[in-house]
Amino acid sequence: MSVNPRLTRRRFIKGVIYSGAAAMSGAGVYLANAQSRPAAAVERLISINVNGRTRRVDVLPQETLAHTLRYKLELTGTKLGCNRGECGACTVLVDDVTHYACSMLTHSVKQRSVTTIEGLQSADGQLHVVQQAFLDELGPQCGFCTPGQVLATVALLKSNPRPTRDQARDALAGNLCRCGAYDHYLNGVMRASGQLS
Amino acid sequence: MSYMHIGKDFTPPCAQGKITGAARYAEDFRREGMVFARLLTSPVPSGMVRDIDVSEALRMDGVVGILTAEDLPAAPRPGVPALSNELTYVGQPILAIAAISEQIAENALERVRMNIERRPFVVDPLDSLVEGGPNAYPEGNVMMRGENGMELRSLKWTRQAVEDFRAGREPAAEFTTEWSYGDLEAGFAESTVIVEEPFVTAGYPHHSLEPRTCMAYWENGRCYFHGSLQSQSAANAPLSRMLGIELDQLVFINETTGGGFGSRIGPYPFMSIAGYLSRKVNRPVQVRITREEEFFIGSARSGMQGWIKVGVKPDGKVAAVDVIIVNDGGSSGSGSGSSSAGAISVSYQPTAMRFRGASVFTNTTPRGAQRGPGQNEMHAILAPVMDKAARQLGMDRVEFRRINAPDHNSLVEANQGPVTSAYMREAIDMGAQMFDWQAKINQPRRNGSKVIGIGVGEGYHAAGNNGFDGIVRIGPDGKVYLHTGVGNLGTYSYAATVRAAAEVLQCSWENCEIVRGNSDLGLPHSSGQGGSNTIFTHTRTNYVAAMDAVAKMKEIAAAELGGSPDDFSIDGTRVFKTATPAEGLTYAEAAQRAIALGGKFSGAEYPEDINDLTKLAVQKIAGTGLVGVAKDNLEKNGTAPGLAIAFAEVELDLDTGKYEIRDYTAVAECGTVVHPKGLSHGMNGGGVWGFGMAGFERHVYDPQNGLPANVGLYQSKPPTFLDVPRAMHTAAVNLPDPQSPFGARGIGEPAMGCAAAAIMSALTDALDGHLFNRTPVTPDMIIEHVAQNTYNNKSLKINTF
Amino acid sequence: MPSHDVMPDIELYQPVQVEDALDLASRLAERGWLLGGGQDTYGWLKDRNKSPEAMIDLNGIEALRGIRETASGLEIGALTTLTEVATNPLIQASYSLLSDAAVKVASPQIRNVGTVGGNLVQDVRCWYYRRGLSCYRAGGNLCYADTPQGMNREHAIFGASRCVAVTPSDTAPALVALDASMVIRSTSGERVVPAADFFVGPNVDIRHTTVLQPGEILTAVRIPNTWANATFYFEKVADRNVWDFALVSIAVAMRESGGVIQDSRFVAGAVQCTPRRLEAVEAAVRGKARGEATAMSIGTLASNGAEPLTHNGFKMHLVDNLAKRALLA
Ligand SMILES: Cc1cc2nc3c(=O)[nH]c(=O)nc-3n(C[C@H](O)[C@H](O)[C@H](O)COP(=O)(O)OP(=O)(O)OC[C@H]3O[C@@H](n4cnc5c(N)ncnc54)[C@H](O)[C@@H]3O)c2cc1C
Ligand code: SF4
Ligand code: FES
Ligand code: FES
């Protein structure tokens, strides 16, 4: 077993280091709120890498990544369908691997890079190939599960650029679609992988 | 008929936002100073809250306010109050707490103290119906007509009647609703085959993927409300009434809705919490609800407990159907028995029919419309019953359905009214051929522990309404602005229906812009978009509005260029003299003239018969272009039926009770296809819902304490990627309905019913004709059946297996 | 029923060395909560039905991760994710029973973070208990499931002892079948417990499903090469094919030679509080060839002695059928 070189030499990190008001970041509305936050809930200023940018943000010890993204970084493309690992609407990529953002702590992604649906388009606004394929196939119905479906597909195609329809089903299985748009999403996957034109 | 837009695929403008994350749902809006509210919900199935003590919660740092039932106008009883001290189901909201963070609001919930006086409760309708059984409300268990209109009454059956009913015998009992047509006795007398069965279908939650979060704030006496409804414009009148304000004091914003399936047809009482609380604390308030709360207050399908008797003549014609349905109405008492029975009258056209039923209150979640409420579960039960009749007649199951299928001359539902059109036989033939029915039923069926079942089932729902309004506006820039009050719930029908206006105006799609999502933008009154209605209803409203715009352009052109309006034509960019096309005006010029002319041309005047909301809308946009506005007064005579037929091949493993759907083919009979991709979405999505109904989804309540067992998604079990077929095949008959300007009707609900029915039929087929008479059929039931412990001689129940 | 889904205020420790984690675990004892992938934990905390004061996040401890070959088999760090277990070539090559089981857990995203340690130590899924009712397992004095009216379709058919909850883990039966052992550390040292003894029923400890004591950390799972490359069979029957817990699962390892089964392990999941060795089946198939005849010969041996509740009698047939299928595959 090798030691992860990215890990710091610090013996351990205690999650309750108080960060003063001066260190607050994030949208204005939350700044205002944070100042009157009771002593019980203590946030800590951390840096996380989201969509290629380093974001400094005050985070509670028990705060989920979905909460940080949606309420502190204004990245509302990450949806909360259940907040319990039962639907996949909150799927994001952490180091290119699918994760339920509702079921992981923001404090656990400090050394890793997070990709949300907002991070897929290129700088000039061009759609990611998966997004374009999902658009062409009209993947979504209500769209609430769609960011998760797109990200699950992006992750799949990174590790398996030409999946079979069955492999695609397995890879997207952790993304529930209440509208039942499964067939259209699979068509999207096949199109994105160049197997459907 | 060949059209520019109708029947063509296109990319709905909201799709890009959905795949980039930019689409905004109610929960995605933020507002300076916004606070977060959470609900305190009932721990008991029935009781009264006495002495609430919120002082400790209010003292907490960061808590900004509390809303209780006393802060809201008194709600009708029995009903679905937003907040209540009278508790009638576990999970009923009692109060809401607003705080500067969700964390604090949740912490504060734990500091509320209250005493609850418990009352008797009941989770099964028959347990309430039986003599001596508890009632969900102290006064009664059913709504019945009394001296003061409908009132709560106690309906009781003898023990014997309940036992008979459960066992599949006609009970000697009293009902709250009845209808019949034809001579039932004569029908059974001419029948050579009679099938009589008990049945039970489970209720279950909608669980749209987006929880019904709301956000509201007040500015200059107006309430800005971000909500999540199926329809945009069906919100305004009822929601403003709920908030106690005038129609023009409400700005309803609903750009995207994360599914509805019937649970978001109109504003639901819960919505008033955000409005009242934000007024009370004078800050924007977001009420995000949890998945569990979505189970509690997000509505659910009503379960059915029933008995059916079907008589069939030697030629295969269904002569008589007698059906009794007791609905589990939950705490709202809403059941759909009459619609269930109505569906039989459509799909099998019995010569005589009778329905008797009662919807019984139970201390379970409030019920409401859910995708084909009544019709779909009825078809799921009916398919194997009709299969049994066909089998006893020695007739092919598809042939049997063909013989009984509705057509243009059919009479339907309780009132035996006409249909606008029906091409069910065409649908059946098309589906049987696509599926290759003959080959499928003749293939070898057994392979080790696996056995193949082939099924067929139908779906029906009334799929079209009339009387709503349309607005189109041609801007001075020549662009066509398609104003719609149709919501964006995932069907793309908001976009599909405005294309009817683009079609009439013959303009390119690129030159059109859809105006929607915010009532301040001037949006016409629209239907609630329940029950497959949108396509029929709103192609009509868009048609009449666009026809009005065309007429106005021609009038303007005639006034300017001479001649009569009839001498003019349009081509999508110009209105011109038909004889001398060079003489004309561009749409832009016509719009500029309209603004200058004012009056009806610019929207300064409008027809008297349009809805108040539409009037407000026209006032908002008056003077900004040529305004076409009209109420749909087109002829509609009869029910516009949405029909579907589905075929399924399942491979059932007798060892495990699990099955795989190897083939699924469904054909829609929804008139002209307006938007092919939208249709395949509707058919596939409906199919997935049907698989859920047939195989997985159900309420589970503990009769000992009234607790629901399946509040989460993993317990409610909506089908996943791996529970549906690898590929689904859908098609449409695509023949026009004469009473729709473009021939289109809807299909959302039948798409589900046919799937559930086809699966149930296939399971029965796989098991040598065994009827479960139950939805869902789960692996344990199949295993028990194979082990020869049949489920049917156990007492069937709605919520408790 | 207040419905929460935001975790309450709690401390978070993120040690990077085992020693520090052990220190914390021993110091905090019951007040601390070990955190693997958190996929079981967060539900408890969001519901506020368990209220530890601090989480000890083990994910930063690299020494607890990874899969390696040892002289006598394989060692899997307790923090190794289920995805790694499911896709690891060593496991797939010689102990595919475990990878076949791991891939059936929950959903891809849960497997991407869920750890093998967490999967083994996760608490039961009895819905009454999860709703926060004060039943026996929660320290109260009644069981809601084991009553004539209890909604107990998912509950136990064996081993009732006040509590009738079943083991939820998909990997546990596989590890019992593979004769794995659990490496447990605390500040006072290390102990190695055979998988079969690691899981405990309510008759032994009604509050916990394993022998782990406060202050102890499961650091690794050792798989001996006893069953390497044996004939394996894993099957999980659940309502839906994603997310859902097993109604019944079976993990079977068979050592064959000369066309007959020399020795075997038949272990059923979700029929009692711990993975259940079907010893009667193992004895009956010894010396017989796999196939139809042997499959039929075991009859109802797997379910013998079961005491079903109102709604779970089907599990008897299911466990019998699954045992047979293992012999037919
Ligand atoms: C929707 C859903 C569906 C699920 N479906 C399944 C399923 O089908 N099959 C299945 O098997 N499971 C299922 N699970 C349960 C479970 O969450 C996962 O299986 C996962 O493996 C748990 O691992 P974890 O590391 O995330 O656990 P954690 O939540 O981190 O830990 C679980 C428990 O183990 C303890 N623990 C963790 N690591 C150690 C250690 N090293 N030493 C001592 N104690 C430790 C924790 O303190 C905690 O009590 C499901 C969970 C959810 C939310
Ligand atoms: S089965 Fe166990 S966990 Fe469930 S209610 Fe009974 S004692 Fe509690
Ligand atoms: S919101 Fe995270 S899995 Fe549902
Ligand atoms: S598109 Fe609505 S949930 Fe998937």
Side-chain angles (χ1 to χ4, degrees):
Chain A
M1 285 179 240
S2 66
V3 174
N4 185 337
R6 283 177 304 175
L7 292 177
T8 63
R9 293 304 308 159
R10 261 181 302 168
R11 291 292 301 266
F12 62 83
I13 304 155
K14 196 173 168 203
V16 289
I17 304 163
Y18 182 65
S19 64
M24 293 294 175
S25 65
V29 44
Y30 298 102
L31 259 178
N33 291 344
Q35 272 150 8
S36 50
R37 195 155 269 164
V42 182
E43 298 183 330
R44 210 163 60 78
L45 181 68
I46 62 170
S47 294
I48 57 175
N49 184 312
V50 182
N51 298 330
R53 280 178 61 202
T54 300
R55 307 288 299 263
R56 283 160 64 79
V57 56
D58 290 299
V59 177
L60 288 168
Q62 75 273 31
E63 188 166 312
T64 62
L65 179 60
H67 188 92
T68 310
L69 293 172
R70 290 186 50 81
Y71 287 103
K72 299 192 173 167
L73 303 178
E74 314 241 300
L75 294 169
T76 53
T78 301
K79 301 300 177 200
L80 281 181
C82 69
N83 208 4
R84 275 171 189 273
E86 299 171 9
C87 77
C90 64
T91 299
V92 298
L93 305 186
V94 179
D95 294 341
D96 289 341
V97 174
T98 54
H99 283 65
Y100 292 146
C102 74
S103 297
M104 65 186 308
L105 301 180
T106 309
H107 277 279
S108 71
V109 296
K110 279 173 292 201
Q111 274 90 11
R112 307 195 277 164
S113 73
V114 177
T115 308
T116 71
I117 190 72
E118 291 90 347
L120 291 183
Q121 276 162 275
S122 61
D124 62 0
Q126 205 188 333
L127 295 179
H128 186 282
V129 42
V130 171
Q131 289 175 314
Q132 187 60 53
F134 275 43
L135 195 60
D136 294 343
E137 288 297 328
L138 195 58
Q141 285 192 33
C142 80
F144 206 72
C145 71
T146 311
Q149 308 282 4
V150 169
L151 286 160
T153 305
V154 170
L156 166 67
L157 298 187
K158 274 208 169 118
S159 60
N160 181 0
R162 289 181 77 81
T164 63
R165 211 173 165 93
D166 263 5
Q167 288 169 334
R169 261 179 19 130
D170 286 339
L172 270 59
N175 292 77
L176 188 78
C177 177
R178 185 48 161 162
C179 297
Y182 297 124
D183 216 43
H184 287 236
Y185 285 129
L186 288 179
N187 291 342
V189 180
M190 298 321 271
R191 176 177 290 274
S193 62
Q195 301 179 82
L196 201 77
S197 48
Chain B
M1 191 69 200
S2 128
Y3 295 113
M4 265 177 99
H5 302 299
I6 303 292
K8 305 269 170 17
D9 270 325
F10 65 101
T11 303
C14 67
Q16 171 118 358
K18 287 175 177 172
I19 51 117
T20 59
R24 286 186 303 175
Y25 300 77
E27 191 174 312
D28 299 332
F29 290 86
R30 303 287 179 260
R31 193 81 194 160
E32 189 73 25
M34 185 174 96
V35 294
F36 302 85
R38 277 312 170 81
L39 304 175
L40 185 68
T41 50
S42 171
V44 301
S46 186
M48 284 300 289
V49 177
R50 311 280 182 205
D51 340 304
I52 306 184
D53 178 2
V54 294
S55 54
E56 203 191 322
L58 269 175
R59 273 200 304 275
M60 282 176 66
D61 229 355
V63 171
V64 299
I66 291 186
L67 196 75
T68 65
E70 284 72 39
D71 295 312
L72 298 174
R77 199 180 156 274
V80 185
L83 297 170
S84 177
N85 293 324
E86 181 180 24
L87 306 177
T88 55
Y89 63 97
V90 169
Q92 181 161 14
I94 299 169
L95 56 80
I97 301 187
I100 57 165
S101 74
E102 293 201 321
Q103 185 77 36
I104 296 171
E106 288 221 355
N107 292 351
L109 290 177
E110 295 182 310
R111 310 277 181 91
V112 176
R113 301 279 168 269
M114 61 188 173
N115 287 320
I116 295 174
E117 182 188 304
R118 283 175 174 269
R119 283 179 179 171
F121 70 91
V122 64
V123 298
D124 182 88
L126 291 194
D127 290 347
S128 179
L129 266 187
V130 72
E131 50 194 341
N135 287 341
Y137 285 82
E139 305 94 309
N141 60 354
V142 294
M143 293 302 278
M144 261 197 196
R145 195 157 296 285
E147 287 133 40
N148 316 311
M150 294 300 274
E151 57 188 34
L152 253 179
R153 293 265 214 88
S154 188
L155 176 68
K156 296 294 164 189
W157 289 8
T158 63
R159 224 157 262 287
Q160 186 60 46
V162 170
E163 254 171 53
D164 285 343
F165 188 45
R166 281 219 159 100
R169 294 183 296 270
E170 182 179 359
E174 192 191 344
F175 303 94
T176 61
T177 323
E178 296 198 29
W179 51 259
S180 65
Y181 64 80
D183 185 340
L184 201 66
E185 245 175 79
F188 283 120
E190 350 168 52
S191 299
T192 44
V193 165
I194 292 186
V195 178
E196 191 178 350
E197 297 284 339
F199 61 87
V200 166
T201 64
Y204 56 93
H206 296 67
H207 272 325
S208 305
L209 202 55
E210 178 207 8
R212 52 195 60 222
T213 292
C214 304
M215 196 269 269
Y217 59 92
W218 297 76
E219 253 172 44
N220 306 322
R222 302 182 84 206
C223 182
Y224 291 77
F225 201 105
H226 295 272
S228 178
L229 289 180
Q230 291 174 218
S231 158
Q232 163 78 38
S233 289
N236 292 64
L239 185 55
S240 54
R241 271 197 304 276
M242 268 160 59
L243 297 175
I245 55 179
E246 298 299 321
L247 198 53
D248 61 357
Q249 288 178 290
L250 174 69
V251 186
F252 185 65
I253 303 147
N254 189 178
E255 295 173 5
T256 331
T257 295
F261 314 110
S263 70
R264 295 169 179 180
I265 291 179
Y268 26 89
F270 157 74
M271 291 172 80
S272 59
I273 296 174
Y276 279 92
L277 195 48
S278 68
R279 186 152 60 186
K280 187 171 177 187
V281 304
N282 196 22
R283 292 175 77 157
V285 173
Q286 182 193 83
V287 197
R288 179 177 73 80
I289 68 163
T290 66
R291 176 51 53 185
E292 188 173 43
E293 287 164 342
E294 184 67 24
F295 173 95
F296 295 148
I297 63 175
S299 189
R301 187 179 288 272
S302 161
M304 302 197 287
Q305 181 108 29
W307 166 86
I308 188 169
K309 185 172 161 190
V310 177
V312 185
K313 294 197 292 184
D315 61 0
K317 189 81 200 69
V318 177
V321 172
D322 196 5
V323 62
I324 296 175
I325 295 170
V326 171
N327 278 104
D328 175 0
S331 71
S332 61
S334 340
S336 27
S338 181
S339 322
S340 307
I344 306 176
S345 80
V346 180
S347 294
Y348 287 91
Q349 295 286 303
T351 320
M353 184 168 171
R354 173 168 64 170
F355 160 71
R356 289 168 290 168
S359 185
V360 180
F361 285 88
T362 61
N363 298 104
T364 62
T365 61
R367 307 309 167 91
Q370 184 189 91
R371 207 166 191 167
Q375 297 91 352
N376 286 350
E377 55 270 41
M378 193 69 246
H379 278 115
I381 290 299
L382 205 54
V385 169
M386 292 301 185
D387 289 352
K388 184 170 173 179
R391 183 186 282 243
Q392 287 185 10
L393 270 177
M395 185 177 275
D396 175 73
R397 289 177 284 153
V398 170
E399 184 53 26
F400 180 71
R401 282 165 171 82
R402 252 190 128 262
I403 288 174
N404 291 294
D407 59 26
H408 304 318
N409 301 319
S410 293
L411 301 177
V412 297
E413 308 260 12
N415 62 1
Q416 288 290 286
V419 292
T420 56
S421 68
Y423 305 93
M424 191 59 171
R425 246 165 237 132
E426 289 81 346
I428 294 175
D429 291 345
M430 194 171 166
Q433 199 186 351
M434 279 173 69
F435 182 72
D436 209 350
W437 172 260
Q438 280 305 332
K440 284 262 163 65
I441 55 173
N442 291 323
Q443 70 183 301
R445 299 300 193 90
R446 186 75 194 241
N447 175 16
S449 65
K450 295 193 169 144
V451 37
I452 293 207
I454 307 295
V456 54
E458 48 274 276
Y460 156 76
H461 197 276
N465 230 317
N466 57 325
F468 295 93
D469 304 332
I471 298 180
V472 297
R473 180 170 52 103
I474 300 172
D477 53 359
K479 260 194 138 165
V480 174
Y481 296 90
L482 305 164
H483 290 242
T484 180
V486 171
N488 178 11
L489 74 165
T491 59
Y492 301 111
S493 55
Y494 77 88
T497 53
V498 295
R499 285 164 69 86
E503 190 74 49
V504 171
L505 288 161
Q506 295 179 30
C507 54
S508 75
W509 190 232
E510 290 65 42
N511 195 39
C512 293
E513 189 174 313
I514 304 180
V515 182
R516 63 175 195 92
N518 180 327
S519 59
D520 259 5
L521 298 174
L523 310 181
H525 177 51
S526 82
S527 72
Q529 294 173 254
S532 309
N533 275 309
T534 314
I535 290 286
F536 180 93
T537 312
H538 292 287
T539 46
R540 287 166 59 116
T541 56
N542 278 285
Y543 173 83
V544 293
M547 289 300 278
D548 183 52
V550 171
K552 284 170 179 167
M553 280 202 285
K554 288 181 179 174
E555 265 187 68
I556 290 171
E560 175 130 351
L561 304 167
S564 107
D566 292 344
D567 301 334
F568 286 81
S569 300
I570 56 160
D571 70 357
T573 55
R574 291 174 70 248
V575 49
F576 55 86
K577 273 202 178 140
T578 318
T580 50
E583 284 185 78
L585 298 172
T586 64
Y587 282 13
E589 286 161 349
Q592 289 153 15
R593 304 291 190 281
I595 295 171
L597 284 167
K600 68 176 183 183
F601 298 105
S602 72
E605 288 165 19
Y606 39 77
E608 267 313 305
D609 63 350
I610 58 174
N611 183 276
D612 285 349
L613 187 70
T614 315
K615 289 179 183 164
L616 280 178
V618 178
Q619 288 163 15
K620 287 200 177 86
I621 60 173
T624 61
L626 184 151
V627 175
V629 53
K631 175 176 174 165
D632 162 20
N633 292 318
L634 300 173
E635 190 211 354
K636 178 175 179 276
N637 176 29
T639 300
L643 297 163
I645 184 96
F647 298 82
E649 174 179 340
V650 304
E651 186 182 63
L652 171 68
D653 195 320
L654 299 172
D655 281 347
T656 61
K658 298 266 298 174
Y659 57 88
E660 190 191 330
I661 305 166
R662 300 213 309 192
D663 194 355
Y664 179 75
T665 301
V667 176
E669 202 291 88
C670 55
T672 307
V673 174
V674 172
H675 176 204
K677 276 221 173 79
L679 176 70
S680 73
H681 262 314
M683 291 299 287
N684 285 342
V688 172
W689 270 75
F691 306 147
M693 168 180 273
F696 305 101
E697 300 187 58
R698 63 171 159 203
H699 270 147
V700 177
Y701 271 89
D702 186 324
Q704 308 168 107
N705 47 29
L707 285 178
N710 61 333
V711 294
L713 288 172
Y714 96 85
Q715 300 144 315
S716 288
K717 307 189 191 296
T720 72
F721 261 108
L722 301 187
D723 302 307
V724 303
R726 281 180 173 71
M728 295 168 72
H729 312 285
T730 61
V733 176
N734 205 10
L735 292 171
D737 185 291
Q739 294 191 36
S740 155
F742 296 105
R745 298 190 239 105
I747 201 63
E749 341 291 309
M752 169 184 177
C754 66
I759 298 296
M760 296 293 288
S761 165
L763 291 176
T764 291
D765 183 50
L767 296 170
D768 296 327
H770 174 72
L771 270 63
F772 287 99
N773 290 336
R774 180 87 163 103
T775 61
V777 172
T778 51
D780 49 317
M781 295 173 61
I782 294 170
I783 291 167
E784 293 274 22
H785 166 70
V786 173
Q788 291 176 341
N789 304 326
T790 85
Y791 244 74
N792 285 351
N793 50 30
K794 270 210 208 168
S795 69
L796 290 167
K797 285 195 170 187
I798 290 181
N799 288 315
T800 49
F801 307 144
Chain C
M1 189 102 329
S3 172
H4 292 283
D5 76 349
V6 175
M7 286 184 257
D9 296 328
I10 189 169
E11 284 188 25
L12 172 66
Y13 297 93
Q14 299 189 295
V16 295
Q17 306 264 323
V18 188
E19 291 70 24
D20 297 323
L22 291 171
D23 268 353
L24 281 163
S26 123
R27 191 145 55 77
L28 291 162
E30 272 104 352
R31 291 178 294 122
W33 183 288
L34 298 173
L35 190 62
Q39 301 306 291
D40 190 25
T41 303
Y42 302 139
W44 280 117
L45 297 186
K46 286 176 180 174
D47 282 334
R48 304 188 176 211
N49 287 332
K50 302 259 179 188
S51 41
E53 289 170 21
M55 291 185 274
I56 306 166
D57 179 358
L58 303 175
N59 286 282
I61 307 171
E62 211 53 24
L64 294 182
R65 284 184 188 285
I67 298 158
R68 62 186 180 117
E69 263 180 307
T70 63
S72 55
L74 277 189
E75 183 165 302
I76 305 173
L79 270 285
T80 309
T81 66
L82 293 164
T83 298
E84 287 171 73
V85 170
T87 55
N88 179 273
L90 292 174
I91 297 179
Q92 283 184 338
S94 306
Y95 307 96
S96 59
L97 184 63
L98 178 59
S99 45
D100 288 351
V103 82
K104 293 289 179 197
V105 173
S107 74
Q109 286 90 330
I110 289 182
R111 296 194 294 272
N112 285 343
V113 291
T115 65
V116 67
N119 192 260
L120 296 173
V121 185
Q122 64 173 304
D123 210 340
V124 299
R125 281 275 160 181
C126 166
W127 72 268
Y128 295 100
Y129 174 56
R130 291 266 166 179
R131 296 236 62 182
L133 299 186
S134 163
C135 65
Y136 284 126
R137 185 169 289 277
N141 58 8
L142 78 163
C143 172
Y144 294 85
D146 189 5
T147 68
Q149 286 192 301
M151 299 313 290
N152 48 31
R153 170 180 181 260
E154 287 83 17
H155 288 75
I157 54 172
F158 290 106
S161 170
R162 292 178 295 158
C163 176
V164 289
V166 296
T167 163
S169 167
D170 290 326
T171 60
L175 288 170
V176 171
L178 291 171
D179 283 335
S181 54
M182 309 294 169
V183 184
I184 299 170
R185 282 182 64 183
S186 69
T187 44
S188 48
E190 181 179 292
R191 58 180 179 133
V192 179
V193 179
D197 303 333
F198 179 73
F199 302 102
V200 294
N203 55 330
V204 176
D205 182 349
I206 202 163
R207 306 296 300 276
H208 303 100
T209 55
T210 71
V211 296
L212 284 175
Q213 296 298 310
E216 285 188 325
I217 295 178
L218 175 67
T219 55
V221 177
R222 285 186 192 143
I223 305 180
N225 48 27
T226 326
W227 298 98
N229 305 311
T231 304
F232 295 128
Y233 186 80
F234 182 85
E235 187 168 3
K236 166 181 175 177
V237 177
D239 287 309
R240 295 182 306 169
N241 295 322
V242 191
W243 278 294
D244 291 7
F245 290 88
L247 292 168
V248 173
S249 64
I250 197 153
V252 176
M254 289 171 279
R255 184 63 76 196
E256 293 172 288
S257 87
V260 299
I261 300 167
Q262 297 293 322
D263 195 8
S264 69
R265 290 284 181 276
F266 278 68
V267 186
V271 295
Q272 64 181 25
C273 190
T274 60
R276 179 179 176 85
R277 275 276 298 271
L278 305 174
E279 278 160 0
V281 175
E282 293 170 9
V285 302
R286 188 165 296 128
K288 299 210 181 123
R290 276 192 300 137
E292 186 76 32
T294 309
M296 293 328 289
S297 77
I298 63 170
T300 57
L301 282 180
S303 67
N304 266 2
E307 292 178 85
L309 309 168
T310 325
H311 297 294
N312 68 2
F314 75 96
K315 287 195 176 187
M316 295 174 61
H317 307 296
L318 188 48
V319 73
D320 284 332
N321 294 346
L322 293 184
K324 284 185 194 139
R325 280 156 88 86
L327 293 162
L328 291 170

